[in-house]
Amino acid sequence: MFPALKTPESSVDLLREGYTFIPRRCDELGTDGFRARLLFKPVTCIHGADAARVFYGGHRFTRQGAFPTSIVHLLQDEGSVQALDGDAHRHRKAMFLHTLQGEDPMDLYGIFEREWLAAIPRWQRKGRVVLHDEMQELLTRTSAAWAGVPMSERDVVLRTRELSAMVDNAGSFGPANWWARSLRNRCERWAQGVVTRAREGSIRPPGGSFLAVLVDHRGPDGEPLSVETAAVELLNVLRPILAVSRFIAFAALALLRHPEWHETFAAGNDEDLGHFVNEVRRLYPFFPMIGGRARESFGWRGHDFAEGEWTLLDLYGTNHDARLWEHPEAFRPGRFRGQTIDPNTLIPQGAGEYADDHRCPGEPITIGLMQRAVQLLTRSMSYQVGVQDFSISMSFMPSLPKDGFIIHDVRPSGSA
């Protein structure tokens, strides 16, 4: 049996400590698991590569009932692929894998680069821009064009605001969360309208685009998805692509703090580009943990998991586990050279396999967008970085450099 925390209720501690709540207690207790109470409910917290293997493998856990509705309604909502299990999950997941990891007829990265290059003159005129904020709008434009979703300029503004609110407030409670959920409701109504018009033929998404695949998708019963569910799944593509803005801000920060890498990529040497991006994803905080409930009773590390037991897997702490990563707090892209990455060690977007498990199917897209962003930051523009607050809060989830990474004096490459 895992040790239990002496604190009768740990919600305040979790909100105060954020990303470090689980790994700190695992270190203190000398264990990869402990029992606690969060939101006045019993929970088991687990940590490390073996924990990730158990959590994601063998279909031991369901995502149903794994998080408060305040989080679920912002990030997934009812009926989404992440809420499914078994054959229903695999069938729906195959649709995402086909569009997110299959042949890309819409050229996501080409769209992203064109939008970025078109934005440089705007940034130049502004004089001072917050990179994270600009990336949110740019990625909204990119994801919509790639998915085959038409957007007016007004749509871009509204959808960026709504999608960013879902991500920014995923870890919040109270008025901020209520406000974000109201924006989510508005965004869902818009998405339902897009799905309806696409099925009626007034919107004709390009063949192979996500919207075209989505409106034609049939469930295991041969029936199309309901308009409501299809709208949820549309947002489950647009919102995660916007969330890459955080990783891009962290990548820019890493380039600033480690200028030797800026020089390397500026010179056109991409040998370590993938390693650099993976080290950004490993080191900097994204989502802290993932929840599940045991589908049946089983034992691990002397602990008997009961059916329905609420469990939290530590993502951030596993990415900083000294048993897996030498000098885990150091930024060392070279650690990945010549290495085959274990799917249960580098887990900023979940562990396990894409097809059978609940690992994020958009992870390769995240990596690809980050790589292209690093190339654009180092080769297609010059910019200055002034005095600002680069601190990263461990209690704000998902986190970000405090000021969003402010740049100024932006110029196209070659004009500096």
Side-chain angles (χ1 to χ4, degrees):
M1 180 68 71
F2 289 144
L5 299 185
K6 296 180 181 179
T7 307
E9 165 58 38
S10 298
S11 297
V12 173
D13 292 334
L14 173 59
L15 292 174
R16 182 173 58 244
E17 300 174 33
Y19 291 89
T20 63
F21 173 77
I22 297 178
R24 178 177 295 171
R25 280 155 183 77
C26 283
D27 287 344
E28 292 172 350
L29 296 169
T31 178
D32 278 343
F34 62 87
R35 293 174 293 133
R37 292 187 69 85
L38 294 174
L39 301 176
F40 304 101
K41 297 178 181 179
V43 63
T44 300
C45 301
I46 57 177
H47 159 90
D50 288 343
R53 195 170 291 111
V54 166
F55 188 86
Y56 275 87
H59 307 287
R60 297 182 181 90
F61 288 88
T62 177
R63 300 298 177 269
Q64 297 181 27
F67 273 122
T69 56
S70 60
I71 297 175
V72 173
H73 285 172
L74 283 184
L75 293 184
Q76 292 295 334
D77 218 342
E78 308 298 333
S80 73
V81 63
Q82 292 286 21
L84 302 176
D85 295 304
D87 291 340
H89 173 260
R90 283 187 289 271
H91 185 86
R92 183 85 60 82
K93 189 74 167 286
M95 174 186 68
F96 283 89
L97 293 174
H98 171 72
T99 52
L100 296 176
Q101 297 189 19
E103 184 179 350
D104 184 3
M106 301 296 289
D107 185 17
L108 174 69
Y109 308 122
I111 296 170
F112 178 61
E113 181 169 343
R114 288 193 296 273
E115 291 290 347
W116 187 300
L117 295 177
I120 291 176
R122 296 199 303 270
W123 300 340
Q124 191 173 9
R125 290 192 297 271
K126 283 185 176 181
R128 174 186 179 275
V129 298
V130 179
L131 183 64
H132 172 254
D133 295 349
E134 297 295 329
M135 286 298 105
Q136 288 188 317
E137 178 181 320
L138 194 151
L139 286 164
T140 298
R141 295 179 183 274
T142 298
S143 64
W146 173 78
V149 178
M151 278 196 189
S152 66
E153 285 301 308
R154 182 174 184 273
D155 282 332
V156 170
V157 172
L158 292 175
R159 303 298 81 85
T160 300
R161 184 186 184 202
E162 293 156 359
L163 295 169
S164 62
M166 297 177 207
V167 178
D168 294 346
N169 294 282
S172 67
F173 296 90
N177 186 272
W178 303 336
W179 169 78
R181 288 167 73 177
S182 70
L183 292 183
R184 162 93 194 201
N185 291 337
R186 186 176 72 181
C187 198
E188 281 196 18
R189 291 193 294 272
W190 165 81
Q192 289 168 12
V194 169
V195 170
T196 298
R197 293 196 299 276
R199 286 179 172 169
E200 292 173 347
S202 58
I203 292 177
R204 298 184 182 276
S209 65
F210 181 76
L211 181 57
V213 172
L214 177 66
V215 297
D216 288 339
H217 179 74
R218 297 293 186 272
D221 58 1
E223 295 296 318
L225 299 177
S226 69
V227 171
E228 293 77 13
T229 298
V232 165
E233 299 296 32
L234 178 58
L235 298 189
N236 282 339
V237 165
L238 302 181
R239 185 197 62 257
I241 291 178
L242 172 138
V244 178
S245 59
R246 279 178 149 73
F247 276 136
I248 292 174
F250 284 133
L253 181 59
L255 290 170
L256 177 69
R257 289 179 169 171
H258 306 277
E260 69 277 13
W261 288 107
H262 192 290
E263 295 172 4
T264 295
F265 299 132
N269 184 352
D270 288 341
E271 183 178 355
D272 284 317
L273 180 58
H275 303 147
F276 178 91
V277 163
N278 276 332
E279 183 68 344
V280 170
R281 296 171 63 238
R282 183 199 67 82
L283 180 66
Y284 291 103
F286 194 51
F287 283 97
M289 61 195 73
I290 189 71
R293 287 191 179 274
R295 299 181 66 185
E296 57 186 25
S297 59
F298 70 95
W300 179 69
R301 296 284 184 89
H303 179 78
D304 293 324
F305 286 84
E307 181 179 353
E309 185 167 336
W310 185 27
T311 305
L312 297 177
L313 169 67
D314 178 19
L315 301 180
Y316 177 80
T318 300
N319 287 332
H320 292 76
D321 190 340
R323 297 169 299 179
L324 307 174
W325 313 99
E326 185 178 4
H327 302 294
E329 300 308 318
F331 185 78
R332 295 183 175 181
R335 71 173 78 243
F336 291 105
R337 291 177 187 147
Q339 301 296 317
T340 300
I341 299 176
D342 185 323
N344 298 299
T345 58
L346 181 64
I347 58 171
Q349 292 171 269
E353 304 296 335
Y354 294 113
D356 287 337
D357 301 328
H358 282 80
R359 191 178 191 126
C360 175
E363 186 173 23
I365 279 181
T366 298
I367 294 170
L369 288 170
M370 290 178 67
Q371 290 178 341
R372 190 62 62 94
V374 169
Q375 292 172 326
L376 290 161
L377 282 167
T378 57
R379 299 177 197 169
S380 296
M381 56 187 277
S382 65
Y383 56 91
Q384 300 297 317
V385 181
V387 176
Q388 59 190 281
D389 191 345
F390 295 114
S391 65
I392 301 169
S393 171
M394 289 290 104
S395 61
F396 185 82
M397 303 174 285
S399 197
L400 189 71
K402 178 69 173 179
D403 286 340
F405 203 83
I406 301 170
I407 59 177
H408 61 91
D409 195 21
V410 176
R411 302 182 186 183
S413 61
S415 64

